[in-house]
Amino acid sequence: MTINVSELLAKVPTGLLIGDSWRDASDGATFDVENPATGETIATLASATSEDAIAALDAACAVQHDWARTPARQRAEILRRGFELVQERAEEFATLMTLEMGKPLAEARGEVTYGNEFLRWFSEEAVRLYGRYGATPEGNLRMITTRKPVGPCLLITPWNFPLAMATRKVAPAIAAGCVMVLKPARLTPLTTQYFAQTMLDAGLPAGVLNVVSGKSASAISNPLMDDNRLRKVSFTGSTPVGQQLLKKAADKVLRTSMELGGNAPFIVFDDADLDLAVEGAMGAKMRNIGEACTAANRFLVHESVAEEFSRRFAARLEEQVVGNGMDDGVTVGPLVEQKALDSVSALVDGAVSDGAEVVTGGARGSGNGYFYLPTLLNNVPRDAQILKEEIFGPVAPVVTFKDEADAIRLANSSEYGLASYVFSQDMSRIFRVSDQLEFGLLGVNTGVISNAAAPFGGVKQSGMGREGGLEGIEEYTSVQYLGIRDPYADQ
Ligand code: NAD
């Protein structure tokens, strides 16, 4: 299916979704969205003010009562219809993501499949929100617990997975009966705008989902978080911003879900199947141009297999085609913006001046876009900055280890605890190591583990709460306990 880009862009709403209509910002302000492969402006959107943010919360709160009482089956069917519409529009969503974020079209199609699964999964979960029934040990009370929608939510999403990060929050919130104000990332709002329109087309009542894109994130989030009507903030983004939001959330004791940064270790033991390990490394490192919170950030390889692993991995990296993600055959798109390119470049240069050896890559690509070549670094010193920060680019630093204890110590020596990967064929080692790894997610002999049916989330400074799985809907509910005088209490 060939998409006409200008016709597609003309279909994407450019206003703020407040209640039942897309409108201009109250002060008429706008901001531009750029294609990172070309540096061209592809759209201009309304930029929400603080007043607009509050108007969005007004619209949400106006329907919270009715929405919470809408039968779960009805909410489920809206999600299911949304899933079908996103599927029908899959090529449009994929194209929008490639245009505004840069990932190659084939990967963007993969994100549509992954992101859309949250609509299907939570359409199935919406009708399975159960409570408990029991009696107190003393026999004086019967106990019933129910789960109620937590209430109006602020959802803040990052730019790296423009569809999936939105569906992973919006779908469980709809399933649970919450209303919401969604703030997409400034760099990639188009996919979210089109997704919100798609949910309206699927029959989502006006006011349940409001979208306030804008150039100033805090001008939108601060007044909302100061408002007593808001009940929850669900944030996906960097740890420093998450920390700021957690401090702010404390003022009103808001419920929070925090999906923050990562610094994933990718551990290759001497008994690993190296073909699998290299395949896994390509997935864990190169998916999304390395711009993923789950991206392998530190390749920890047993010293006896390091040379062979690096040789094979470098060969695969050299096969990659860097360029505009809209072009056939391109497997590595641009980084999202100039700042991202400068940061990746500085981390590699720093590692090299600390003594790392460039096996392949190590330089910017050509053209107007923010391209960086797939890069493999060997002999990276254990204290190099590149091992401490999220690289967020197609760069793989390799560090060797001597034994299992050394590997575990190295892996855990980070304040992050999101994803980790282990390659080994020894089941007892796999369990022994996974017991000791301080990470919320562990890929065993695979480099890609995200799935709508699995609980996604981190420990340590990677955040709190889980998205997807059975856990994902619970984040949008609060438990109410009814203690009922036991009819036999006085007998
Ligand atoms: P970011 O923290 O800069 O921005 C994320 C979102 O927060 C954007 O919508 C942004 O506009 C908004 N924001 C920024 N400053 C804000 C403020 N002061 N108040 C309120 N909102 C604010 O992150 P990013 O660069 O968009 O995304 C990359 C980061 O996201 C990486 O650290 C990555 O690891 C993380 N991430 C985590 C997960 C996860 O599930 N754990 C998934 C994807 C990305």
Side-chain angles (χ1 to χ4, degrees), residues 156-161 165 168 183-186 217-218 221 235-239 241 244-245 259-262 292-293 390 392 418 456 462 467:
I156 303 179
T157 53
W159 50 264
N160 58 348
F161 292 99
M165 297 302 98
R168 209 162 76 165
K183 196 214 84 61
R186 176 181 56 80
S218 52
S221 66
F235 171 75
T236 299
S238 61
T239 296
V241 174
Q244 282 178 39
L245 293 175
E259 297 285 351
L260 309 179
C293 52
E390 278 191 294
F392 250 57
L418 188 59
F456 188 102
S462 287
E467 291 191 320

Side-chain angles (χ1 to χ4, degrees), residues 221-304:
S221 66
N222 282 345
L224 292 174
M225 292 178 74
D226 284 335
D227 193 303
N228 281 325
R229 295 171 298 172
L230 194 77
R231 292 282 178 271
K232 177 178 172 91
V233 177
S234 177
F235 171 75
T236 299
S238 61
T239 296
V241 174
Q243 287 164 330
Q244 282 178 39
L245 293 175
L246 279 169
K247 285 180 193 149
K248 182 110 190 102
D251 291 341
K252 300 284 180 185
V253 195
L254 290 173
R255 279 276 296 276
T256 55
S257 299
M258 292 282 150
E259 297 285 351
L260 309 179
N263 182 354
F266 185 103
I267 311 174
V268 183
F269 285 104
D270 47 357
D271 60 34
D273 173 332
L274 281 193
D275 288 335
L276 268 187
V278 171
E279 200 51 48
M282 289 301 294
K285 181 71 254 181
M286 297 306 292
R287 177 169 175 248
N288 224 41
I289 322 153
E291 294 171 313
C293 52
T294 50
N297 213 59
R298 296 172 288 154
F299 287 84
L300 313 179
V301 188
H302 189 268
E303 57 190 13
S304 68

